[in-house]
Amino acid sequence: MIKANDILELDITAYAFEGKGIAKLTDSDEAEGAGFVVFADHAYPGDRVKAKIVKKKKNYAEAKVIEVLSPSPKREETIKCRYFGVCGGCKQLDLRYSEQLFYKQQQVEEIFRTIGGFTEFNIEPILASENKIFYRNKMEFTFSNRRWRTQADLENRDLVIEDDLYVGLHIPRIFDKVLDIEECFLQSELSNKIINFTRDFFRKRKVTAYDTRTHSGFLRNLMIRQSYHTSDLMVNLVTLSQNDKLLQEYTLALLREVPAVSTVVNNVNTTKASIARGEFEVVYYGSGKITDKLGKHIFEISPNSFFQTNTHQAENLYSVAKDYADFKGTETVYDLYCGAGTISSFIAGDVKEVYGFESVLDAVNDAIKNRDDNVITNTRFFTADLNKSFLPVLEQENIPAADVMMIDPPRSGMHPGTVQDVLTLMPRRIVYVSCNPATQARDVKLLVEGGYELIKMRPVDMFPHTYHIENVVLLKKK
């Protein structure tokens, strides 16, 4: 019988969500019987691996790959990242990109069958990302006084790691240490230069990192936002308190080292909440914002604004959504979970009018400013409780009925109350954009049960080398 810490040799035959290879044991394998499944982290179909069992359940086990005995032909190492396999970011960096796309599309299909209960549906080919590396316009790094020890560190008996200032990314499920990062392929080479300069600058001055256990220390997060279509580059330090002298000194030194920086901001977060934003902010250089474009429209992005992190692919994502909506120029459109109004602005020139609804007041204010900056005259934005009902806002503001709804909720999907609101209003068409096909399939099932027909869908790869996937769905009223 299989038990925790057993080491097995496994033939990987399939691929599961979140980057786990699947091995199915036969009757003779460890006496578990046919049908018993082992999920091996970071293994691909075609691999033969040696793996250690880390968790055993009644019908399945989870394992960690110790050694790849025979690699799958699907593997391809085109990028040599020194943190690969430790950092939780690019988990599929060694999987051929065409295979990544294949499994992501397969993932969406399986989710709509198992969670949505759909047996037949039209799924169009996944839209690949043109940029495979350096595609993110925003990255958040964490400061810590404790560094995660890699396997190489543990094997080096002469290495002594002392508490110091580190900045990098959290290992999955580890919150009190960071993987100290010197190079990352997600944002840009300039971003890497800023990370290393910032670490060195504050190390020399013995500045401490914030400690979640003691609620002390100064440095909390380093956020870098970089425009895709302009030369704007923001550096935002999140700290526990305000220190004007130190931040002014940092700003001057940073600008000498990286002249491309267009604005430097300090967000001050005095709470215990581990979030990369503050209760107030101080601008030390520039406007405190950057601008970028989606389509023909310019958007002003503040340190805490939401903006799609893969700018080029966001344009493709919204183009798919607009094509699905099939606008004729006469439609009244509702944009639910409108955020800073990016979708509203993107479609405004193709419709009669757009009404955006969002729960976050700051986002609504950003949407209004972006609308005014782009001289768009047919969009209006409203704060509405999308966790309860937005119908009272329609009545209060005398908003006309919608012909089409564009829906782009957070990962948790739509609140049941919002789903019911949509079914009460019954627009002719719904275009549902989601970063989580599982919650999307759940909501689409409810909409279909309420009187809609699932017409088609298309996955869009916003995040190469990860298992994350966006999906666009078109629904029409029966």
Side-chain angles (χ1 to χ4, degrees):
M1 298 292 289
I2 292 173
K3 58 184 182 299
N5 297 319
D6 281 353
I7 295 177
L8 306 177
E9 290 190 10
L10 302 171
D11 290 311
I12 306 301
T13 58
Y15 199 50
F17 185 56
E18 295 188 353
K20 296 180 187 294
I22 300 174
K24 294 184 178 180
L25 302 190
T26 64
D27 287 316
S28 59
D29 286 327
E30 304 296 327
E32 285 293 346
F36 189 84
V37 171
V38 179
F39 294 96
D41 193 34
H42 194 66
Y44 305 125
D47 279 341
R48 182 167 179 79
V49 301
K50 184 183 289 185
K52 180 179 180 180
I53 302 297
V54 295
K55 185 184 294 185
K56 166 73 188 307
K57 297 292 184 179
K58 183 178 179 180
N59 297 318
Y60 72 93
E62 295 181 15
K64 179 181 179 181
V65 172
I66 298 172
E67 181 183 355
V68 179
L69 301 173
S70 176
S72 166
K74 300 176 187 294
R75 288 182 178 267
E76 181 179 72
E77 284 195 61
T78 56
I79 302 167
K80 299 289 185 181
C81 176
R82 71 185 84 170
Y83 310 108
F84 178 59
V86 182
C87 168
C90 305
K91 289 195 171 183
Q92 299 180 144
L93 194 60
D94 61 345
L95 180 63
R96 190 180 299 131
Y97 187 59
S98 60
E99 297 292 341
Q100 294 181 33
L101 297 175
F102 172 81
Y103 288 120
K104 287 185 178 186
Q105 175 139 347
Q106 185 183 73
Q107 221 174 80
V108 173
E109 292 176 2
E110 290 179 356
I111 285 170
F112 269 79
R113 288 192 182 98
T114 56
I115 296 178
F118 299 100
T119 55
E120 293 184 11
F121 48 89
N122 178 16
I123 180 167
E124 298 184 313
I126 185 171
L127 186 60
S129 176
E130 181 179 321
N131 301 320
K132 313 299 188 300
I133 60 172
F134 299 144
Y135 59 81
R136 290 186 65 99
N137 57 42
K138 174 190 173 186
M139 286 290 289
E140 293 177 5
F141 302 94
T142 302
F143 290 99
S144 177
N145 293 322
R146 289 177 295 279
R147 196 190 94 181
W148 175 260
R149 295 171 183 260
T150 64
Q151 188 62 36
D153 293 337
L154 296 174
E155 292 171 357
N156 185 352
R157 296 184 178 181
D158 297 328
L159 180 67
V160 177
I161 298 179
E162 299 180 352
D163 286 352
D164 202 339
L165 182 68
Y166 304 104
V167 59
L169 301 170
H170 284 291
I171 303 296
R173 296 180 294 279
I174 302 296
F175 301 102
D176 62 339
K177 298 177 182 179
V178 298
L179 179 66
D180 199 42
I181 295 288
E182 294 181 359
E183 179 184 45
C184 179
F185 292 96
L186 284 175
Q187 191 165 31
S188 72
E189 293 176 352
L190 265 180
S191 175
N192 292 329
K193 192 172 184 180
I194 293 167
I195 295 167
N196 293 318
F197 168 80
T198 300
R199 179 197 300 107
D200 293 343
F201 176 89
F202 288 112
R203 263 187 185 174
K204 289 175 183 175
R205 288 153 184 80
K206 306 296 182 185
V207 180
T208 57
Y210 175 73
D211 190 321
T212 56
R213 296 172 298 183
T214 62
H215 192 50
S216 62
F218 181 69
L219 296 164
R220 302 187 71 146
N221 300 96
L222 169 66
M223 179 196 294
I224 303 171
R225 302 194 79 145
Q226 197 164 4
S227 173
Y228 182 81
H229 290 290
T230 74
S231 59
D232 286 358
L233 176 60
M234 174 192 293
V235 175
N236 175 23
L237 277 175
V238 184
T239 60
L240 179 65
S241 58
Q242 188 176 351
N243 185 330
D244 279 333
K245 185 176 182 300
L246 181 63
L247 267 293
Q248 287 169 359
E249 185 182 349
Y250 168 76
T251 299
L252 290 174
L254 175 65
L255 293 173
R256 284 195 297 268
E257 184 71 18
V258 190
V261 172
S262 58
T263 188
V264 180
V265 184
N266 174 210
N267 265 242
V268 181
N269 176 12
T270 64
T271 73
K272 292 184 178 181
S274 297
I275 52 176
R277 64 172 63 96
E279 298 136 84
F280 66 94
E281 64 184 48
V282 182
V283 178
Y284 285 94
Y285 178 73
S287 66
K289 300 177 181 180
I290 63 172
T291 59
D292 208 342
K293 291 177 66 179
L294 276 177
K296 62 182 180 180
H297 298 299
I298 296 174
F299 292 90
E300 190 174 83
I301 305 163
S302 59
N304 302 318
S305 294
F306 171 78
F307 194 75
Q308 287 282 0
T309 49
N310 184 339
T311 311
H312 181 266
Q313 194 69 336
E315 294 173 341
N316 294 329
L317 175 73
Y318 292 162
S319 292
V320 171
K322 187 166 73 170
D323 289 345
Y324 274 23
D326 191 26
F327 296 126
K328 307 300 182 188
T330 59
E331 294 88 355
T332 295
V333 181
Y334 290 178
D335 181 7
L336 302 189
Y337 308 91
C338 67
T342 49
I343 290 180
S344 296
S345 297
F346 197 83
I347 65 173
D350 300 277
V351 302
K352 178 183 176 183
E353 54 193 354
V354 185
Y355 296 90
F357 303 92
E358 171 59 57
S359 301
V360 181
L361 178 59
D362 287 347
V364 172
N365 290 334
D366 283 343
I368 292 170
K369 188 173 191 317
N370 286 326
R371 174 198 67 193
D372 294 344
D373 288 347
N374 286 284
V375 197
I376 299 171
T377 58
N378 63 338
T379 60
R380 295 178 65 194
F381 299 98
F382 303 92
T383 305
D385 191 343
L386 295 173
N387 289 324
K388 290 184 180 178
S389 174
F390 69 96
L391 298 185
V393 178
L394 303 182
E395 184 176 352
Q396 180 180 334
E397 300 292 338
N398 196 28
I399 296 172
D403 303 300
V404 180
M405 279 193 194
M406 311 292 285
I407 303 175
D408 186 6
R411 288 191 62 80
S412 56
M414 297 172 68
H415 188 276
T418 308
V419 174
Q420 190 53 55
D421 281 358
V422 173
L423 292 174
T424 298
L425 298 170
M426 291 297 286
R428 293 200 305 269
R429 291 192 302 282
I430 297 172
V431 178
Y432 188 151
V433 181
S434 174
C435 61
N436 186 349
T439 55
Q440 184 185 44
R442 176 202 67 197
D443 296 342
V444 168
K445 180 181 180 180
L446 294 174
L447 292 168
V448 168
E449 290 172 350
Y452 282 89
E453 181 182 1
L454 172 56
I455 304 300
K456 58 183 176 179
M457 67 181 71
R458 186 171 195 185
V460 179
D461 185 23
M462 298 286 287
F463 307 107
H465 310 307
T466 77
Y467 50 76
H468 297 294
I469 181 69
E470 296 262 348
N471 194 43
V472 185
V473 168
L474 173 63
L475 297 153
K476 286 187 178 180
K477 185 167 69 171
K478 290 179 182 176

